[in-house]
Amino acid sequence: MTNSLKPLSVALLISTLVLTNCPFAARAQGQGFARSDRLEKLTRDVVSAAVERFGKEGLTADRIALTVIDLNDRERPAWASHRGQEMIYPASVVKLFYLAAAHHLMESRALRQTPELDRALRDMIVDSSNDATHQVVDVITGTTGGPELDESALREWLDKRNGVNRHFASLGYEKINVNQKTWCEGPYGRERQGLGPNYENRNKLTTEATARLVHEIVSGRAVSKVRARAMMDLLKRDPAAKTSDPDSQDMGFASGGLPRGSQYYAKAGWTSSARHDAAYVRLPGGSEYIMVVFTVDNSRQPGIIPFVSRMIAEDFSRTPARPR
């Protein structure tokens, strides 16, 4: 099967696809993760310390969301959250969901893998290119940008675009909206129509939904292990990279709080109002975890995420890693 499929066929396939090799496919969002007193205390302490440190510049407890997953017991991962079910504008972190959706379609043979699609996926994740994201969203939903549409055509266009939402809903994801492209200067034409008069259809994610997706990629449960490995390769960052860019995907976010020798796989994002990071970390001592942190109206405080990351890394550094 090739990319010559009719756009509506692709949208229907993505809305009905349920992978039998995914053990989380029919589960509610939080089911499958153990409760942890230690992690609950950690998230409380981290948020409290961050508010104390950055509060004078505007950070409050309701302007940060955090989810942490402890992967030291891969068979029984535990998690805890602060405001983990709050729907928050996700900036470029939403590109993780488009990456996973594309690999689902390729694995089901509803979408043909091509060098051009591979290039778009790479640029979307590695460089956080919005142009590449537009291409990926068009391919996986069978939609295109363009002039405004009349009411009937707009409904059909939105139905196709919402195929990604239907797909993740079929897997038990809750409180997310992933039907919009990412923009720097703002959408126009049908893309602006799709946002709704008051931007009510903006992309939204929770830190818990995002952490779950990262976990399924890391554990090889999102798709086949080969495809999960391909996604991980795109997410790999170099915390030791040298750059003068304060918003570097490698160094501008959680990596700033990690000890030397850490392994860091992440998708970060920022706008004039948001700074987010969704990361899998393996510390030099072997402890591993996932952290997802979203901030609201604090984009001008780039130190928040490294501060949060440092506190979490220090805690996990004191947690013995289980033998593999």
Side-chain angles (χ1 to χ4, degrees):
M1 195 172 292
T2 70
N3 287 345
S4 61
L5 278 173
K6 292 181 180 179
L8 185 56
S9 299
V10 175
L12 290 173
L13 278 166
I14 197 170
S15 69
T16 58
L17 174 64
V18 177
L19 296 179
T20 58
N21 69 336
C22 177
F24 285 174
R27 298 185 185 182
Q29 194 155 288
Q31 196 171 343
F33 294 102
R35 177 181 172 276
S36 167
D37 290 338
R38 172 184 147 256
L39 290 184
E40 289 181 5
K41 181 179 185 303
L42 175 63
T43 55
R44 287 196 305 269
D45 290 349
V46 167
V47 170
S48 177
V51 170
E52 182 178 359
R53 168 66 177 80
F54 296 97
K56 291 182 180 179
E57 300 170 35
L59 182 64
T60 57
D62 62 352
R63 290 186 173 185
I64 185 170
L66 172 66
T67 297
V68 181
I69 301 179
D70 185 346
L71 292 180
N72 284 309
D73 184 349
R74 284 289 188 107
E75 297 303 313
R76 195 168 183 267
W79 77 348
S81 294
H82 168 75
R83 300 181 74 243
Q85 283 283 296
E86 292 296 320
M87 297 179 70
I88 297 171
Y89 175 68
S92 291
V93 173
V94 73
K95 296 170 186 178
L96 278 173
F97 286 78
Y98 301 145
L99 176 69
H103 276 279
H104 276 298
L105 282 173
M106 290 188 287
E107 188 160 82
S108 68
R109 299 180 181 272
L111 187 65
R112 184 167 65 91
Q113 187 166 359
T114 67
E116 189 65 6
L117 179 55
D118 286 342
R119 183 171 76 98
L121 291 171
R122 181 199 176 280
D123 291 350
M124 177 179 72
I125 299 299
V126 176
D127 301 325
S128 206
S129 165
N130 287 332
D131 288 342
T133 305
H134 297 180
Q135 172 68 9
V136 171
V137 172
D138 283 347
V139 168
I140 66 178
T141 63
T143 60
T144 63
E148 291 176 306
L149 299 169
D150 62 36
E151 186 175 347
S152 176
L154 181 63
R155 280 199 304 269
E156 181 180 350
W157 183 87
L158 284 171
D159 183 66
K160 294 177 183 178
R161 185 62 70 82
N162 277 315
V164 183
N165 278 333
R166 291 192 295 273
H167 168 63
F168 282 104
S170 77
L171 298 176
Y173 282 80
E174 302 169 346
K175 294 187 175 181
I176 68 172
N177 184 55
V178 288
N179 66 0
Q180 300 291 329
K181 295 177 180 177
T182 51
W183 298 90
C184 289
E185 301 301 330
Y188 297 90
R190 67 193 64 174
E191 300 284 356
R192 175 62 187 87
Q193 286 179 292
L195 279 169
N198 300 308
Y199 288 76
E200 59 269 22
N201 295 328
R202 251 183 138 189
N203 286 329
K204 297 280 187 179
L205 288 176
T206 68
T207 57
E208 288 188 359
T210 307
R212 174 189 160 180
L213 181 62
V214 174
H215 174 260
E216 291 181 359
I217 293 171
V218 170
S219 63
R221 293 168 172 160
V223 283
S224 66
K225 290 188 177 181
V226 171
R227 289 198 174 276
R229 183 69 256 173
M231 288 192 278
M232 289 291 286
D233 287 344
L234 295 181
L235 293 169
K236 189 173 184 179
R237 307 295 180 184
D238 180 8
K242 302 298 183 185
T243 176
S244 59
D245 180 3
D247 300 310
S248 162
Q249 292 282 305
D250 289 306
M251 297 188 65
F253 296 88
S255 61
L258 300 179
R260 186 186 299 271
S262 297
Q263 297 177 37
Y264 172 55
Y265 298 77
K267 182 71 199 79
W270 67 277
T271 68
S272 60
S273 63
R275 293 189 74 85
H276 304 331
D277 199 358
Y280 159 70
V281 175
R282 185 176 175 86
L283 297 174
S287 288
E288 54 181 349
Y289 58 90
I290 289 164
M291 61 159 281
V292 178
V293 56
F294 292 174
T295 68
V296 180
D297 296 330
N298 282 280
S299 189
R300 294 183 180 180
Q301 296 192 77
I304 295 173
I305 291 178
F307 178 88
V308 167
S309 176
R310 185 174 299 106
M311 286 194 67
I312 294 171
E314 288 172 352
D315 181 90
F316 274 88
S317 293
R318 297 188 293 269
T319 304
R322 285 178 175 245
R324 299 288 172 223

